[in-house]
Amino acid sequence: MIAQHLANLHRQIRLAEDAYGRRSNTVALLAVSKTQPAAALAAAYQAGQRHFGENYVQEALAKQQQLGAFDMTWHFIGPIQTNKTKLIARHFAWVHSVDSLKIARRLSEQRPATLPPLNICLQVNISTEDSKSGLSLSELSDVYQQIAQLPNLKVRGVMAIPAPETDFAKQRLPYHTLMQAVMALKAADFDTFSFGMSGDVEAAIAEGATVVRIGTALFGARAYP
Ligand SMILES: *Cc1c(COP(=O)(O)O)cnc(C)c1O
């Protein structure tokens, strides 16, 4: 079933690239595996999936141990507690949810010298009505300039989790706003726009997503949120 879902998602992504004038194969799928057992990740791996996103450090480390034989790339996408930065810096290749200079400094300091720079996205809060974590649009530029100086991080782009909407135009709007703010940064090396989840894949791709983070539509409903 996971292989079938994966094939359907790839088709959906290719169709959206085509529909919104995006080059083919420019949008990647990140499998969001929080709460899913290691066997589900192994099934996705067997079907060709290589990139996995996790929200909880201890849960992720347990799965990394169980799945050590597979060549998986691990992305941390959840809220970051200060006391977890060391483990995140050691055990992930990517972090999508960097939303303060303090957290970024710790990740850079704690990234082992034996590993390549940690790939990060700046999480930006583009929802008006809810108070999810993320940098505000007004602080994005200053914080980016400072984080870009840190030696062991590579700022690849931005991540956003807008408030859920069912209307397509309303889904697109926050991503559009964020893209305009990113243009103003003149960060020529940004290549990653981590936009979109199971419910807004098309809107995210229409607005420039290069990574869609998919949990439910790949693995099915989660047992806990
Ligand atoms: C859980 C989660 C997802 C996946 O959400 P689905 O709606 O299940 O696809 C994506 N991004 C983040 C940051 C998440 O926490």
Side-chain angles (χ1 to χ4, degrees):
M1 203 171 72
I2 287 172
Q4 187 61 56
H5 288 169
L6 198 55
N8 291 344
L9 283 159
H10 282 302
R11 191 169 327 110
Q12 182 188 9
I13 291 168
R14 300 288 90 83
L15 286 171
E17 286 172 341
D18 207 38
Y20 298 100
R22 303 287 310 280
R23 275 192 298 128
S24 195
N25 293 302
T26 49
V27 182
L29 190 160
L30 178 64
V32 175
S33 44
K34 60 173 178 250
T35 83
Q36 302 297 339
L41 284 73
Y45 181 90
Q46 304 292 2
Q49 182 65 31
R50 293 293 177 271
H51 290 258
F52 292 85
E54 290 277 343
N55 295 58
Y56 311 104
V57 176
Q58 301 304 338
E59 181 192 333
L61 296 193
K63 286 181 218 174
Q64 289 179 0
Q65 286 236 308
Q66 291 174 275
L67 297 163
F70 298 118
D71 177 28
M72 294 172 164
T73 301
W74 297 91
H75 298 236
F76 191 81
I77 64 172
I80 304 174
Q81 292 166 277
T82 309
N83 64 0
K84 293 291 187 337
T85 51
K86 190 167 183 178
L87 287 170
I88 294 171
R90 283 169 184 254
H91 295 283
F92 290 83
W94 283 79
V95 181
H96 292 226
S97 43
V98 174
D99 68 354
S100 74
L101 180 59
K102 177 184 166 195
I103 291 291
R105 280 198 176 121
R106 289 176 66 94
L107 290 170
S108 181
E109 279 162 15
Q110 294 168 337
R111 181 68 169 172
T114 51
L115 295 177
L118 185 60
N119 296 296
I120 67 156
C121 293
L122 302 175
Q123 183 176 350
V124 183
N125 185 352
I126 42 171
S127 297
T128 44
E129 70 262 37
D130 96 1
S131 58
K132 280 224 168 88
S133 34
L135 295 162
S136 67
L137 282 174
S138 58
E139 65 188 335
L140 175 62
S141 176
D142 276 358
V143 175
Y144 163 65
Q145 305 297 341
Q146 297 186 71
I147 291 180
Q149 313 293 320
L150 298 172
N152 301 318
L153 304 183
K154 184 160 174 41
V155 188
R156 300 291 296 266
V158 290
M159 186 271 253
I161 314 174
E165 292 283 356
T166 49
D167 179 75
F168 187 67
K170 285 185 182 157
Q171 288 180 343
R172 287 183 69 159
L173 186 61
Y175 295 129
H176 191 80
T177 307
L178 176 52
M179 272 301 199
Q180 308 237 270
V182 168
M183 297 295 175
L185 293 180
K186 305 235 185 293
D189 49 348
F190 274 19
D191 60 6
T192 303
F193 299 93
S194 176
F195 296 170
M197 318 203 299
S198 295
D200 66 349
V201 169
E202 276 86 6
I205 292 174
E207 293 299 340
T210 62
V211 178
V212 289
R213 307 178 312 271
I214 308 294
T216 314
L218 175 57
F219 295 112
R222 286 182 285 275
Y224 60 95

